[in-house]
């Protein structure tokens, strides 16, 4: 999964020159502005082709809904459209003019595309679409001891939570964030790390659970993520000075000061993000209750005594 999505957030594959300050200055220009990085377009096209071909092959052999469930295919379509909006739609060039638009990109990658990709589980159909030799080679690599050991460690919910938090806070340090506006390579690294860390985080919560007690841990990780990401959003919202001077002279075209634009970006990180994390935690809590209710019933059913035999003298 992680290797398959790296290219999606790497727009610098064939676009090495530095990012300029040019971008849409009004709504008319915005409607005609699109991301032109070949890496993003190529990654989205390859991802879609592999998934569609693999799904068709699976459904032709086993029937519609087998191998790839219909709701999983719907999740993939929604994830792909979200990636399209975040990486190549007018939102992408808009992010070079407004910090708030840039923050909207990040939230789409981490809070919408990533969990949808995790739910979609696109790797089986994508492997099914590849030539047999390549699919076998990838399977062989994934079974190597060094990779299995590394994956067991980084997919632990606590480790995935820590990676996700470090990536989020590190990229919002002023020096690193401003560097993304001067180099498409750094910008690509930012988007790639956001997407990969978020996929790892959501995967560890959804697919790495073992037993009912893990539901409680997953809820705790979601709650603490809402707290620390909300704290970062609040700091941006209430800051009286500009954290990212690179946006000075760009936001005026949209009727905002840099501080106002920064506050709007902080609100985007704070309110919608926390809402999604809390809703996900509530969904896990509901699943936890259902699991807890199902287990006693299962034990009661398996331990229920059979019908007692009547005494011999009453059986005449």
């Amino acid at each position: 999964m992680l290797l398959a999505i790296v290219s999606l957030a790497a727009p610098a594959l064939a676009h090495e020159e530095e990012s300029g300050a040019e971008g849409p200055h009004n709504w008319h220009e915005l409607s005609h502005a699109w991301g032109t990085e070949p890496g993003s377009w190529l990654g989205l096209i390859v991802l879609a082709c592999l998934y569609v071909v693999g799904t068709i092959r699976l459904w032709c052999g086993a029937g519609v809904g087998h191998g790839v469930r219909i709701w999983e295919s719907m999740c993939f379509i929604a994830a792909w459209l979200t990636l399209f909006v975040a990486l190549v739609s007018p939102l992408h060039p808009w992010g070079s003019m407004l910090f708030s638009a840039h923050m909207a990109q990040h939230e789409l990658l981490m809070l919408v595309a990533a969990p949808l990709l995790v739910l979609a589980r696109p790797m089986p159909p994508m492997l099914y679409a590849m030539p047999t030799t390549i699919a076998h080679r990838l399977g062989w690599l994934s079974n190597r001891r060094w990779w299995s050991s590394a994956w067991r460690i980084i997919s632990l919910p606590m480790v995935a939570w820590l990676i996700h938090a470090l990536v989020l806070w590190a990229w919002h340090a002023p020096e690193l964030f401003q560097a993304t506006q001067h180099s498409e390579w750094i910008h690509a690294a930012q988007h790639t790390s956001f997407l990969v860390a978020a996929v790892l985080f959501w995967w560890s919560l959804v697919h790495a659970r073992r037993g009912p007690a893990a539901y409680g841990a997953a809820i705790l990780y979601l709650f603490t993520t809402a707290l620390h990401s909300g704290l970062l959003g609040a700091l941006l919202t209430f800051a009286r000075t500009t954290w990212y001077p690179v946006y000075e002279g760009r936001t005026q075209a949209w009727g905002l000061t840099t501080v106002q634009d920064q506050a709007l970006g902080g609100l985007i990180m704070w309110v919608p993000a926390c809402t999604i994390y809390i809703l996900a935690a509530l969904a896990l809590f509901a699943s936890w209750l259902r699991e807890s209710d199902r287990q006693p019933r299962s034990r009661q059913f398996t331990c229920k005594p059979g019908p007692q035999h009547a005494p011999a003298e009453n059986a005449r």
Side-chain angles (χ1 to χ4, degrees):
M1 160 71 81
L2 298 181
L3 295 177
I5 64 176
V6 166
S7 63
L8 298 177
L13 291 177
H15 190 68
E16 189 173 356
E17 65 272 14
E18 289 188 348
S19 299
E22 291 299 323
H25 294 80
N26 52 57
W27 293 107
H28 177 73
E29 291 183 6
L30 179 64
S31 64
H32 294 83
W34 290 83
T36 58
E37 290 77 9
S40 296
W41 285 95
L42 180 62
L44 286 169
I45 292 171
V46 169
L47 182 69
C49 289
L50 286 175
Y51 187 85
V52 170
V53 170
T55 300
I56 291 175
R57 287 180 176 178
L58 284 170
W59 284 357
C60 286
V64 175
H66 296 278
V68 178
R69 287 171 284 190
I70 294 178
W71 69 265
E72 290 176 338
S73 65
M74 295 298 102
C75 286
F76 176 82
I77 293 172
W80 190 93
L81 291 174
T82 303
L83 290 170
F84 181 87
V85 171
L87 298 176
V88 302
S89 79
L91 180 62
H92 182 66
W94 203 15
S96 66
M97 300 298 292
L98 293 179
F99 171 76
S100 53
H102 203 166
M103 292 302 300
Q105 278 186 282
H106 298 167
E107 299 310 299
L108 286 175
L109 290 173
M110 294 187 291
L111 294 170
V112 183
L116 285 172
L117 283 172
V118 169
L119 292 174
R121 301 176 68 101
M123 282 307 298
M126 290 174 64
L127 288 172
Y128 209 75
M130 296 177 184
T132 304
T133 54
I134 296 178
H136 286 171
R137 182 66 176 175
L138 290 175
W140 177 81
L141 288 174
S142 66
N143 289 324
R144 303 299 294 171
R145 180 177 299 177
W146 64 269
W147 170 253
S148 299
S149 300
W151 177 251
R152 279 196 299 270
I153 294 173
I154 65 174
S155 63
L156 290 172
M158 182 62 185
V159 177
W161 176 90
L162 182 60
I163 292 172
H164 182 266
L166 289 175
V167 167
L168 179 66
W169 282 83
W171 277 112
H172 285 88
E175 294 79 8
L176 276 178
F177 198 98
Q178 293 199 127
T180 66
Q181 297 299 302
H182 299 297
S183 170
E184 280 294 347
W185 285 100
I186 299 177
H187 199 182
Q190 182 193 52
H191 284 175
T192 301
S193 58
F194 277 150
L195 185 58
V196 171
V199 166
L200 179 63
F201 173 70
W202 288 104
W203 191 96
S204 71
L205 300 183
V206 174
H207 295 306
R209 294 197 307 271
R210 296 292 184 273
Y215 281 103
I219 293 169
L220 177 62
Y221 294 132
L222 284 169
F223 180 70
T224 52
T225 301
L227 285 180
H228 78 72
S229 62
L231 174 61
L232 179 57
L235 291 174
L236 288 165
T237 300
F238 296 111
R240 296 184 179 182
T241 58
T242 302
W243 286 22
Y244 312 111
V246 69
Y247 283 100
E248 291 179 355
R250 303 184 187 183
T251 61
Q252 283 78 3
W254 291 92
L256 296 170
T257 66
T258 52
V259 173
Q260 290 172 337
D261 178 41
Q262 182 175 279
L264 179 58
L267 282 173
I268 291 173
M269 170 182 282
W270 186 5
V271 180
C274 287
T275 301
I276 291 176
Y277 287 130
I278 291 173
L279 288 176
L282 290 175
L284 284 177
F285 183 69
S287 299
W288 190 10
L289 291 178
R290 287 195 297 270
E291 182 73 16
S292 301
D293 184 58
R294 187 162 46 243
Q295 284 196 345
R297 291 184 179 181
S298 176
R299 287 195 296 268
Q300 182 181 6
F301 178 78
T302 56
C303 297
K304 183 178 180 180
Q308 297 183 357
H309 297 288
E313 61 270 14
N314 296 331
R316 299 171 186 173

